Amino acid sequence: MNTAIQDDAGAEQPWSRAEFERRLRARGEAYHIHHPFNVSMREGRLSTEQIRGWVANRFYYQVKIPQKDGAIIANCPDRETRRKWVLRILDHDGWEDNPGGIEAWTRLGEAVGIKRDLLWSQKLVAPGVRFAVDAYVNFARSAPWQEAVCSSLTEMFAPKIHQDRLATWPQHYPWIEPTGLQYFRSRISLAERDVVHGLQVTLDHFTTRTQQERALDILQFKLDVLWSISDAIALAYP
Ligand SMILES: O=C(O)c1cc(C(=O)O)c2c(n1)C(=O)C(=O)c1cc(C(=O)O)[nH]c1-2
C-alpha cells in the first residue's frame, strides 16, 4: 500500500518550503565543482594550455548570460521581477564607468595569456561548449519565465567554486597575474544576491508536489549543462 500522504485528488502533498529548498540545495552534489576537470584545476594539476582552454571556453558562457537574462525579462510580465532581474544584465555588460563581468573575464583571459581579440573571436570555443550553453539560452527563451529563473539556481553552489579558485590558484598557478582573479572575487556577493531572489521566485511559484518535482528536474537540466561544458573542455584539452 502507498503510505505517502495524499490529497483528495490522489496527488502527493507538497513539501514544505523548507523541505523543498533543502531538496534543491541537495542537488549540489551534481555541481560541476565535482567534475574531474574542476578537481584537477583545484588541486593544481592543470597545464598552462588547459587553464587557457578553460578560460577561453568559459568565455562563451559569460557572453551568453546577458542574452539569457534578456530572454527571461522578455518573457516576464511582472515589473517588480524585471526591476531586479535587469541588474544581472548590468553585472555582466557593465554600465557607465563600471566595465562589468565580461570585461573582467577578458582581463582574466589576458592574465592567463590570451589576447583580447582571440578570446572575443570565440575561435577557441569547442562545439560541445557552444551546444550546452546554447541549450541554456534556448531554454530561457522558450520556457515560462519562472522555470528559467529556477534554472539559474545553480548559483546557490557558485560562491564556493569562486572561493576555491581564489584560495588555490595563487599557490598552484603563480604564473597567473593575481589581478586577473577579480572576476571570481566580484561574483561571490552577486551570486548570493541572485540566489535570494531566484529562490524566492521558485519557492513561491512551484507549490504543488508535481511542480516542485518539475523544479528539481529543471535544476538538474542546468547542472547537466554545466557538467557538459566541463566534459567538452576536458575532451578538447586532455
Ligand atoms: O564559475 C562558475 O562555476 C560559475 C557557475 C555559474 C552557475 O552555477 O551557473 C555561474 C557563474 N560561474 C557565473 O560567473 C555567473 O555569472 C553565472 C550566472 C548564472 C546564471 O545561471 O544566471 N550562473 C552563473
Side-chain angles (χ1 to χ4, degrees):
M1 196 180 86
N2 182 359
T3 53
I5 302 166
Q6 297 189 334
D7 66 17
D8 293 345
E12 289 190 24
Q13 291 290 322
W15 292 305
S16 69
R17 237 176 133 84
E19 174 62 10
F20 180 29
E21 180 175 337
R22 192 193 66 73
R23 284 175 186 259
L24 288 164
R25 290 189 184 277
R27 292 297 172 107
E29 67 185 29
Y31 196 48
H32 62 176
I33 199 168
H34 305 297
H35 191 282
F37 194 84
N38 190 65
V39 174
S40 294
M41 178 183 284
R42 186 174 59 232
E43 294 177 354
R45 284 185 276 113
L46 293 193
S47 67
T48 306
E49 282 315 303
Q50 286 174 313
I51 292 277
R52 287 187 182 142
W54 179 78
V55 170
N57 275 271
R58 262 294 304 270
F59 181 69
Y60 190 65
Y61 189 57
Q62 304 308 131
V63 297
K64 284 290 168 179
I65 293 261
Q67 285 186 265
K68 182 274 292 181
D69 287 321
I72 293 176
I73 289 176
N75 287 332
C76 177
D78 179 53
R79 175 172 177 251
E80 281 311 311
T81 304
R82 291 198 307 267
R83 279 167 60 88
K84 289 187 180 152
W85 210 267
V86 72
L87 298 179
R88 298 182 184 227
I89 298 180
L90 298 177
D91 290 340
H92 289 278
D93 283 337
W95 73 98
E96 295 179 350
D97 57 0
N98 180 328
I102 294 173
E103 179 60 26
W105 196 274
T106 304
R107 291 181 191 169
L108 172 64
E110 288 172 339
V112 302
I114 308 168
K115 292 222 159 59
R116 174 179 296 262
D117 287 354
L118 180 59
L119 188 75
W120 282 66
S121 75
Q122 300 180 5
K123 275 186 201 150
L124 300 176
V125 178
V129 170
R130 204 176 282 279
F131 192 77
V133 174
D134 289 352
Y136 184 33
V137 179
N138 287 332
F139 179 74
R141 287 191 176 129
S142 55
W145 64 271
Q146 297 95 336
E147 295 198 354
V149 168
C150 175
S151 70
S152 74
L153 284 181
T154 49
E155 279 201 281
M156 291 187 293
F157 319 119
K160 172 80 172 79
I161 208 169
H162 295 309
Q163 278 156 355
D164 281 356
R165 293 169 191 143
L166 290 165
T168 62
W169 282 31
Q171 180 197 343
H172 293 316
Y173 310 107
W175 54 272
I176 301 175
E177 174 62 48
T179 54
L181 308 185
Q182 180 53 32
Y183 179 80
F184 305 136
R185 207 167 284 118
S186 71
R187 274 313 301 176
I188 295 171
S189 59
L190 296 176
E192 287 167 353
R193 179 210 63 193
D194 287 354
V195 166
V196 170
H197 184 214
L199 261 181
Q200 185 200 338
V201 170
T202 301
L203 299 179
D204 285 349
H205 176 74
F206 298 85
T207 52
T208 69
R209 174 66 79 85
T210 304
Q211 288 171 332
Q212 290 170 332
E213 285 172 353
R214 167 85 183 138
L216 289 171
D217 287 348
I218 292 165
L219 184 58
Q220 189 61 50
F221 156 74
K222 171 66 176 308
L223 288 160
D224 292 348
V225 165
L226 295 175
W227 196 270
S228 301
I229 292 171
S230 291
D231 277 351
I233 297 173
L235 197 63
Y237 297 90

